[in-house]
Amino acid sequence: MKDRPVDPAWVEPTDAELDAAANALIGGCPPARLSPDCLACFFATSPDELENEKLSFLFSYWQKHTDPQTGHQTRAEFDMLTLLPAVGNIMILDVLRDGFDARYRLYGTGVATHAGRDWTGETVSEMNRTTRNNLALMYRSIYLAAYRARRPIYSLHRSPDWVGAKCWRRVVLPMTYEGDVCSQFIVGNIPVDPFELSPEEKARQQARVRKAST
């Protein structure tokens, strides 16, 4: 396992770039426009499109509890007890800055195991500034597009080589509890071809994240 250094040339996406990428995604742009490592990205309309049992469960649950007339969900329905079949692979994010950023309220243990850190309490932009890989535009434009369209988005992307998974399958579910504004995302995140990191590799992975945070 490589311990890839932080890229000193990394530049954070601007709001203008995020806005353009989100609009392009809503318009059906090719996944590679978001990142060379983005293999698939589209608005999902059926659980059968998601190629994973847990993601299909989450999509079906979201669909069941979404009012077809208003597009609203009922907050009380989405507690962890009702989502147990997928709980270790769930992330919950609170929307910030009209969808341009979001803060992790919950970062599932099954995700953190392979990602090298529990990002609960951090924002997506803070995570991107720490990890500094070319997925920042993809992550944040997908959230912004889901916020604006209020429709679920599925993606498949390759992982950085220091993460304990070959790829990630994700579905972003926009939550609009009241009014017409999305206020939260529930995200299913599934590692593809996960592999067990040795204790030494885990230590290097965690040291890398700590170093990038300072």
Side-chain angles (χ1 to χ4, degrees):
M1 174 69 62
K2 297 179 181 179
D3 184 23
R4 186 171 62 189
V6 173
D7 181 2
W10 182 87
V11 177
E12 182 172 7
T14 65
D15 282 359
E17 290 170 331
L18 293 170
D19 178 71
N23 288 339
L25 179 56
I26 292 171
C29 75
R33 177 167 176 178
L34 302 177
S35 165
D37 290 322
C38 187
L39 306 177
C41 186
F42 56 83
F43 286 100
T45 59
S46 165
D48 298 332
E49 298 174 302
L50 306 184
E51 301 184 43
N52 178 269
E53 184 177 353
K54 290 183 178 181
L55 297 187
S56 295
F57 162 78
L58 286 174
F59 182 94
S60 296
Y61 198 88
W62 177 89
Q63 199 171 47
K64 177 182 177 181
H65 295 287
T66 298
D67 186 317
Q69 300 299 318
T70 65
H72 296 171
Q73 295 79 35
T74 303
R75 186 183 295 270
E77 298 289 348
F78 286 85
D79 62 70
M80 285 299 100
L81 290 179
T82 63
L83 299 176
L84 278 179
V87 69
N89 296 96
I90 289 175
M91 304 184 301
I92 299 177
L93 299 91
D94 294 327
V95 173
L96 303 174
R97 296 184 57 232
D98 296 326
F100 280 91
D101 207 349
R103 186 179 303 279
Y104 293 104
R105 177 182 289 267
L106 172 72
Y107 201 85
T109 55
V111 182
T113 296
H114 299 286
R117 175 174 166 178
D118 181 347
W119 293 93
T120 299
E122 304 288 333
T123 65
V124 179
S125 60
E126 288 167 342
M127 181 189 73
N128 292 157
R129 282 194 290 270
T130 297
T131 57
R132 295 191 181 192
N133 62 66
N134 68 6
L135 297 170
L137 180 66
M138 183 204 75
Y139 278 124
R140 294 179 62 187
S141 62
I142 285 176
Y143 287 129
L144 183 56
Y147 170 85
R148 290 178 172 175
R150 292 195 297 167
R151 297 163 57 196
I153 298 181
Y154 169 83
S155 64
L156 170 66
H157 69 271
R158 284 188 288 261
S159 296
D161 54 12
W162 50 271
V163 172
K166 181 179 178 181
C167 297
W168 291 97
R169 294 189 191 279
R170 292 160 43 94
V171 64
V172 177
L173 304 171
M175 309 301 292
T176 306
Y177 298 116
E178 56 187 26
D180 292 320
V181 178
C182 169
S183 60
Q184 199 170 74
F185 303 114
I186 292 180
V187 182
N189 203 5
I190 306 295
V192 179
D193 295 336
F195 45 87
E196 183 65 26
L197 298 174
S198 70
E200 294 77 17
E201 288 168 334
K202 287 181 180 178
R204 285 199 300 271
Q205 182 193 56
Q206 291 164 0
R208 177 193 183 279
V209 173
R210 285 196 300 271
K211 180 180 179 181
S213 301
T214 59

